[in-house]
Amino acid sequence: LVAGESHEGEMSLPLGKKEYYFDFNLPEKELKDKLKSVTFVLRNAAGKEVESDVTYTIDGKDAKTVKTNESIALDLTSLPSGKHVMKATCKGEEKEVKFIIFSLDDKTPCVETHDWFYVTDNVFPRDSKPVSVMVGSSDENVHVLYTIISGDKVLESGTMELDKAINTRQFEYKEEYGSGVLLNYAWVKNGTTYTHNQTIARPMPQKNLTLKWTTFRDRLTPGQKEEWTLSAVTPDGKPAKAQLLATMYDKSLDQLT
C-alpha cells in the first residue's frame, strides 16, 4: 500500500438456502383509521433491497400488485371491526399476517377476549384534542375499579359495570393534571385479576426553531459584498431569542489525509 498504510474493513454475509428474504409486518391490534400503510420488504442474500412485484390480498379478496420496499397506502375504513388476514406473495415466497382493527365507536370487543384495553396516546396533544381510553371485556357482569391520580393526589375514583361491552372515555388536559395523570383499572373475573396502569403526560411546548437564510447585495454600489442574514423564528412565527454558534471547515483538507 502507498506509504506503508494499511486499511481494515468488515463485511457480514448471511448464510442460508434462500435467495431472497421477504417480510412485512402489521400491528396486532390497531384503529382502522390509524393503520394507513404497509411496507413489503425484499432483500437478497447480501441484505440489499431488491425491487420486485408483490401481490397481496386482505381476507382473500381484491388482489393488488405493488412494488417492494415502498410504503403502500392502505384504506381499511370500509372493513368491519374484527380479525383480518393479509396474505402476500413475492418471488415465490408467501407470508400471511393476522391483525385486528377496530373503531373508537365500537360498543363491544370485536373479538372474544377477557381483557380489552387501548389508549390512543400517552401524551396529551398540543392541539387540545382528547385522548381516548377503551376498557372492555367479552365477559358478563364485570365490575371494574378505577382511579385517576396526578402526583400524590387522587383526582377521581369509582367503579364501572361492563356486560360484554367496552367503556370508552375521553380525557382532555386540565391544569389540575399538572405533569400528567395516572389511570388505574382493575377487575377480577373467574379467579383471574386484570389490571392496567396508564400514564398520560402533559403536552410539552413546541421548541423547534425555524432557520432561514436571506441574502442582499447593493448592486448600485460597485464592489459591494453580499450580506447574509440568518433569521430564527419560533413555531408561531415570532422572532426567537436565540444564540448561534457556527463553525467553518475547509473541505480541501480532506485531500491531505
Side-chain angles (χ1 to χ4, degrees):
L1 295 177
V2 178
E5 294 181 356
S6 62
H7 297 270
E8 294 183 3
E10 293 184 2
M11 182 178 182
S12 59
L13 294 174
L15 297 178
K17 297 180 180 180
K18 293 185 177 181
E19 184 179 0
Y20 297 102
Y21 168 80
F22 174 63
D23 193 23
F24 70 95
N25 289 296
L26 293 172
E28 181 179 350
K29 182 172 72 172
E30 187 59 272
L31 286 171
K32 63 175 66 177
D33 57 357
K34 190 175 180 181
L35 184 55
K36 296 182 178 181
S37 65
V38 63
T39 301
F40 299 100
V41 178
L42 181 67
R43 295 189 176 94
N44 60 19
K48 300 295 183 180
E49 292 184 352
V50 178
E51 181 178 325
S52 184
D53 291 332
V54 179
T55 300
Y56 74 93
T57 61
I58 298 179
D59 299 333
K61 303 176 182 178
D62 301 326
K64 296 181 180 179
T65 300
V66 296
K67 295 295 184 181
T68 57
N69 307 312
E70 296 180 2
S71 180
I72 308 302
L74 293 177
D75 184 5
L76 306 179
T77 54
S78 61
L79 294 178
S81 297
K83 185 177 293 186
H84 299 273
V85 179
M86 176 179 283
K87 183 179 294 185
T89 304
C90 180
K91 292 287 189 181
E93 299 290 331
E94 183 177 273
K95 180 179 179 179
E96 69 174 38
V97 173
K98 298 179 181 179
F99 61 100
I100 298 171
I101 55 174
F102 60 96
S103 168
L104 291 177
D105 296 327
D106 291 346
K107 304 303 181 184
T108 60
C110 58
V111 293
E112 285 293 322
T113 177
H114 301 293
D115 180 7
W116 180 277
F117 187 79
Y118 184 85
V119 181
T120 55
D121 206 338
N122 58 8
V123 178
F124 288 102
R126 296 190 185 94
D127 57 6
S128 299
K129 289 184 178 180
V131 174
S132 297
V133 180
M134 305 180 74
V135 182
S137 175
S138 299
D139 296 329
E140 299 178 339
N141 302 321
V142 176
H143 184 71
V144 181
L145 304 176
Y146 74 89
T147 57
I148 303 175
I149 300 174
S150 178
D152 57 357
K153 189 176 176 182
V154 178
L155 302 179
E156 182 183 334
S157 63
T159 62
M160 67 175 87
E161 304 297 328
L162 300 176
D163 190 3
K164 295 184 177 180
I166 291 177
N167 177 282
T168 301
R169 181 172 175 180
Q170 294 184 331
F171 294 87
E172 296 181 1
Y173 181 75
K174 303 176 182 178
E175 289 299 325
E176 63 179 320
Y177 289 171
S179 60
V181 293
L182 171 63
L183 310 177
N184 299 297
Y185 299 91
W187 67 92
V188 178
K189 190 65 179 179
N190 298 327
T192 302
T193 301
Y194 304 92
T195 61
H196 292 281
N197 311 105
Q198 178 65 47
T199 299
I200 308 176
R202 72 176 178 185
M204 299 302 294
Q206 181 70 20
K207 297 183 178 180
N208 294 337
L209 300 181
T210 300
L211 303 180
K212 181 180 180 181
W213 286 102
T214 57
T215 64
F216 174 75
R217 176 182 291 167
D218 188 355
R219 299 185 181 277
L220 299 179
T221 303
Q224 180 69 21
K225 294 183 179 180
E226 189 173 10
E227 296 181 359
W228 288 74
T229 303
L230 177 65
S231 61
V233 297
T234 58
D236 58 3
K238 296 180 179 179
K241 296 180 179 179
Q243 294 179 333
L244 176 67
L245 176 63
T247 60
M248 298 183 67
Y249 176 71
D250 189 348
K251 189 170 178 61
S252 64
L253 295 176
D254 292 343
Q255 301 176 2
L256 300 179
T257 59

